[in-house]
Every structure is written in C-alpha cells, then in structure tokens.
C-alpha cells in the first residue's frame, strides 16, 4: 500500500476517534461500529508501529496492557463456560484501546474536535434532561428508550449512574475550558453551561455516583488553582453545594435520605431488596472470596460462580457484579488486580502532571483519574462499557499531547491589545498556544 494511502487512513482514524466523542454518551452500537472502523484504519495507517513507540514512552499504557494480559491469563482457570470467560475479557478491551488511541490523539486538532463533540453531545443530553423535568418532552419507561428517566429523575440516553458521571465530568471540562477560552462570549457560554450541567447532576438526577464525582472534581479544581491549601476551600464548597442541594432539590434529598435509611436497614446478613443493603452484602461476600483466593482469584469470568457458591444456603441475592471494580478485579485475578488498577491511576496522574501546567489536557486527564478512581469504588467502571470507554478515550486524548516533542501548552489568554507572548509563562521554548481568532477549546498545539 502506498504511503499516501496509509497517511489518508491515519487522517481518517483521527476523525473517527473524534467522532467517538459523539457516540460515547449515546449509543453502544455506534461505539462498537466506530471502534471496528478505527482499528481497521489504525492498522492500515501503520498504527502498530506508532502505538509501540507510544507505549514505550508511557508507563501507564504498559500497566494497562499488563492488567489486560493478567485478565487474559485469568480466562484459563475460571470456573465458567469458555464463552462467558471470553465475554468478560472482552469487556476489559478498553485497557488495550488506550494504546491504540494514544498516537491517534497526538494531533491537537483531533483532540480539540473530540472534546468539543463530547461536550456538545453531553450538553444536548443535559438540555433534554431539563426539558424532561419541565414536562416538555414525554417521559419513557424507566431504563428504556431515549428518555430513560422520568420527570423526578431526569436522565437521558444512558442510565442514571452513567449519565450523571458523564454530566459531572463534562461540567468540569467546560469550566476548565471557560477559564482558557480566548473570547469573552466563549467564557460566558462555557461557564454558564458548565454550571447548568453541575446543577443538573445535583438537582435533577438521583445519581449518587454523580454527586460524589462532582464533589471530588470541585475539590480537585480548587487545588489546581489554589494549591494544596485549596483542598480545604474545595471541600467546604462541595459540602455547601451538597447542603444546598439537600434542602433545595427533592431528587437529591430523596436519594440521600433513602441511602441513609438503607444503610441502617442493611447492616444484617438477611436478604434485602434495598440498593445500599445489597451493596453491603456484595462487599462482605466479595472480600470473603478474595480472602479465599488472594493470589490468583477465581479467574476472569468466574466471579458469578464463586459468588453463588459463597451465598449457597442463605437468603442472600446472587450477583454477577459486586459493584466495585476493585473488588471485582481482586476476586477474579487476586490482589494484583486492584493493585495494578491503582498503579494505572497513579501512572496516569504522573504522566498528566508532566504536561505543561497551563495545558487543558493535563487538567482534564487528571480530572478523569479522580472521577474514575472514585467511581470504581462503588461501580465496576472498567467492566461497564461507557465508563470504561470514556476513561480510555479521555486518558489517551490527554496523553496524546505529550507525543509531539514540539507541543506547547494552552497559555493564558491575552487581554485586548496585548500580545499573546506577553502572557505566556516564561519557559524556554514556549510559544503562545491560543489563537484568539479561532473558536473552540484551547488545547496544546504542535
């Protein structure tokens, strides 16, 4: 195949990767179609060589592939049908996808397009959520169709946990983008819509994961801007938001009150129908499985069988998912599983920290680490399609800024009549990275 054909394939791969930002918040089927097309273009465009070079540079990609390989080994000894074991392994493919996407996001234009599209589609979902709350669009059957929620719990496209996770993260991305936007009207629009997304999570959706992620991102954002001392201010702000939502939102109040009641009811060993009570059962029994198999676990895809055996003869509910990625990995492949996941988060954090301090990629990359690390405590986010995919997608997008040696950070925005060079940090070789005449997120550019 000619060099020109390979280059065209690689260019198209960038467009497909950016288009995934539109499909991730909406459609699993479209995700899978775009993933298949992306891998084909990646192979034609010489992606193996490019990804090999990227993986050699990034410890995080090496750890992700190592964790996926360990899960592959777990397939060999799990007590489950082969098809079920392979199905479980395929749900962790995003660990390998990180290496595929890394070189694709080396181009700043691809990163910009992807982020803009992701935030635009999540913004559409948030707008529809408000319309659902106001009764301007019809409520559907909970969990089915386009409008999966109802007026009192208004989530759209995805189920409650996924929707609130995406909305909370998009709120942070748009807030960070607003602080870097080159024009005042862009700052205002992005800032106001970031606020609208945050209020949507707090006031309209009964998603506890979204509450926690949003609060954690508020703390992280204040630390980014105020330093370590900002953690106290961020925690106070997040607590104030929680108190205001508790007394100002029927959805938030109902969800928190329900959780507190379920915590009191779910302390025993008896079967319980409450969400929190079931999670407490899953926690105790999953820890017992890990304690019985600390080194190798029960194998990839073997959790359901092991859990059924653990609760045999009791009135407790069986499950295929302990609703915690740390517990699920520990049960399947032993203690090495959650330790590698934590190592992956740490490696990503460190890799993002090596990007220029003023770059948007650094901030959103670390924000995703915060959101994912916390979300995995209460959900199996790597196992879940949308959360696992957006984690790999955003992580690769952020790390892609480090693959071009000439990449420069998104700088401060010059005031009217001031040259861009005057406000760029005084670092050797750093050039202005924001073109005031060009709309969109100001990202690190080659």
């Amino acid at each position: 195949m000619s060099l020109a054909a390979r280059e065209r394939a690689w260019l198209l791969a960038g467009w497909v990767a950016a288009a995934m930002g539109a499909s991730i918040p909406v459609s699993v089927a479209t995700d899978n179609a775009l993933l298949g097309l992306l891998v084909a273009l990646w192979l034609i465009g010489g992606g193996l060589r490019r990804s090999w070079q990227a993986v050699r540079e990034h410890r995080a990609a090496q750890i992700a592939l190592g964790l996926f390989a360990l899960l592959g080994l777990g397939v060999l000894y799990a007590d489950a049908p082969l098809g079920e074991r392979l199905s479980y392994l395929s749900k962790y493919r995003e660990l390998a996808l990180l290496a595929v996407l890394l070189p694709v996001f080396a181009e700043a234009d691809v990163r910009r397009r992807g982020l803009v599209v992701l935030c635009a589609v999540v913004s559409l979902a948030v707008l529809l959520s408000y319309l659902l709350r106001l009764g301007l669009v019809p409520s559907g059957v909970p969990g089915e169709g386009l409008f999966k929620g109802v007026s009192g719990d208004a989530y759209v496209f995805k189920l409650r946990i996924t929707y609130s996770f995406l909305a909370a993260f998009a709120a942070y991305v748009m807030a960070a983008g607003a602080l870097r936007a080159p024009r005042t009207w862009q700052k205002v629009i992005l800032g106001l819509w970031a606020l609208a997304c945050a209020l949507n999570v707090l006031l309209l959706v009964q998603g506890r994961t979204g509450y926690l992620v949003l609060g954690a991102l508020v703390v992280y954002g204040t630390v980014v801007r105020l330093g370590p001392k900002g953690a106290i201010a961020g925690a106070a702000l997040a607590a104030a938001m929680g108190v205001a939502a508790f007394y100002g939102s029927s959805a938030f109040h109902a969800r928190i009150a329900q959780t507190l009641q379920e915590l009191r009811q779910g302390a025993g060993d008896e079967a319980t129908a409450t969400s929190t009570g079931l999670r407490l059962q899953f926690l105790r029994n999953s820890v017992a499985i890990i304690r019985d198999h600390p080194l190798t676990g029960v194998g990839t895809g073997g959790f359901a069988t092991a859990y059924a055996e653990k609760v045999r003869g009791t009135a407790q509910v069986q499950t295929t998912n302990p609703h915690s990625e740390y517990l699920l990995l520990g049960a399947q492949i032993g203690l090495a599983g959650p330790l590698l996941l934590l190592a992956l988060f740490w490696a990503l954090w460190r890799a993002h920290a090596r990007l220029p301090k003023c770059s948007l990629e650094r901030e959103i990359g670390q924000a995703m680490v915060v959101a994912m690390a916390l979300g995995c405590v209460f959900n199996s986010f790597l196992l879940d399609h949308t959360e696992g995919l957006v984690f790999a997608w955003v992580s690769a997008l952020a790390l892609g800024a480090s693959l071009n040696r000439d990449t420069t950070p998104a700088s401060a925005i010059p005031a009217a009549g001031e040259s861009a060079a005057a406000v760029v940090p005084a670092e050797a070789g750093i050039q202005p990275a924001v073109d005031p005449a060009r709309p969109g997120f100001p990202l690190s550019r080659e």
Side-chain angles (χ1 to χ4, degrees), residues 145-410:
L146 179 65
F147 301 104
K148 297 182 182 298
V150 294
S151 177
D153 190 10
Y155 46 95
V156 177
F157 296 149
K158 298 291 183 178
L159 295 179
R160 178 193 297 130
I161 293 174
T162 303
Y163 171 86
S164 62
F165 179 83
L166 291 173
F169 180 72
Y172 189 89
V173 173
M174 286 187 280
L179 296 174
R180 295 168 169 83
R183 295 184 182 277
T184 301
W185 66 267
Q186 293 173 339
K187 292 177 181 291
V188 171
I189 291 176
L190 285 172
L192 288 177
W193 199 248
L195 178 61
C197 290
L199 291 176
N200 181 268
V201 172
L202 285 175
L203 304 181
L204 271 69
V205 183
Q206 297 182 25
R208 292 171 294 192
T209 298
Y211 304 154
L212 291 173
V213 168
L214 183 63
L217 292 180
V218 168
V219 175
Y220 167 70
T222 56
V223 170
V224 168
R225 282 151 186 86
L226 302 179
K229 295 181 180 179
I232 298 176
L237 177 58
M241 291 168 57
V243 171
F246 185 79
Y247 290 103
S249 166
S250 57
F252 187 94
H253 185 279
R255 195 61 169 162
I256 298 303
Q258 177 188 6
T259 300
L260 294 175
Q261 181 180 2
E262 290 176 356
L263 282 172
R264 291 190 292 268
Q265 293 177 347
D269 291 330
E270 73 282 356
T272 174
T274 67
S275 171
T276 305
L278 287 174
R279 286 173 181 264
L280 291 174
Q281 286 185 17
F282 299 161
L283 169 63
R284 288 195 298 265
N285 293 324
S286 297
V287 168
I289 293 172
I290 296 172
R291 188 169 56 243
D292 293 340
H293 308 273
L295 297 181
T296 62
V298 297
T300 304
F303 176 82
T305 301
Y307 195 91
E309 182 63 29
K310 183 61 65 176
V311 300
R312 188 187 303 277
T314 73
Q316 296 185 38
V317 176
Q318 296 185 22
T319 185
T320 60
N321 182 353
H323 295 276
S324 169
E325 194 62 61
Y326 302 105
L327 291 176
L328 183 57
L329 287 174
Q332 290 186 112
I333 55 177
L335 293 174
L339 290 177
L340 277 175
L341 180 58
L342 289 172
L344 173 59
F345 291 147
W346 178 243
L348 284 169
W349 182 273
R350 293 291 302 274
H352 298 317
R354 287 192 288 272
L355 294 170
K357 288 186 177 181
C358 50
S359 74
L360 182 60
E361 293 94 338
R362 169 184 172 131
E363 188 168 351
I364 65 171
Q366 290 190 330
M368 176 52 73
V369 171
V370 170
M372 193 71 175
L374 178 59
C376 282
V377 175
F378 305 102
N379 306 274
S380 299
F381 269 176
L382 282 183
L383 185 72
D384 295 335
H385 170 83
T386 300
E387 291 87 344
L389 181 55
V390 77
F391 167 65
W393 190 86
V394 171
S395 298
L397 184 149
L399 287 183
S402 69
L403 295 181
N404 189 306
R405 294 291 182 261
D406 297 325
T407 294
T408 56

Side-chain angles (χ1 to χ4, degrees), residues 36-112:
L37 180 58
L38 173 68
V39 171
L41 293 169
W42 173 79
L43 288 170
I44 295 171
L48 280 172
R49 175 182 56 82
R50 298 171 192 258
S51 289
W52 171 248
Q53 293 172 345
V55 169
R56 289 179 61 187
E57 294 184 25
H58 286 291
R59 182 69 57 82
Q62 297 169 17
I63 294 173
L65 289 174
L67 179 54
F68 186 68
L70 193 57
L71 286 162
L73 289 176
V75 169
L76 300 178
Y77 56 86
D79 183 13
L82 179 59
E84 184 175 334
R85 287 178 273 161
L86 293 176
S87 176
Y88 251 79
L89 179 63
S90 70
K91 295 178 184 295
Y92 289 100
R93 62 187 177 184
E94 283 77 19
L95 291 168
L97 182 63
L98 178 62
V100 173
L101 285 170
L102 256 176
V104 179
F105 280 120
E107 298 291 334
D109 284 342
V110 176
R111 299 195 297 273
R112 180 180 295 105

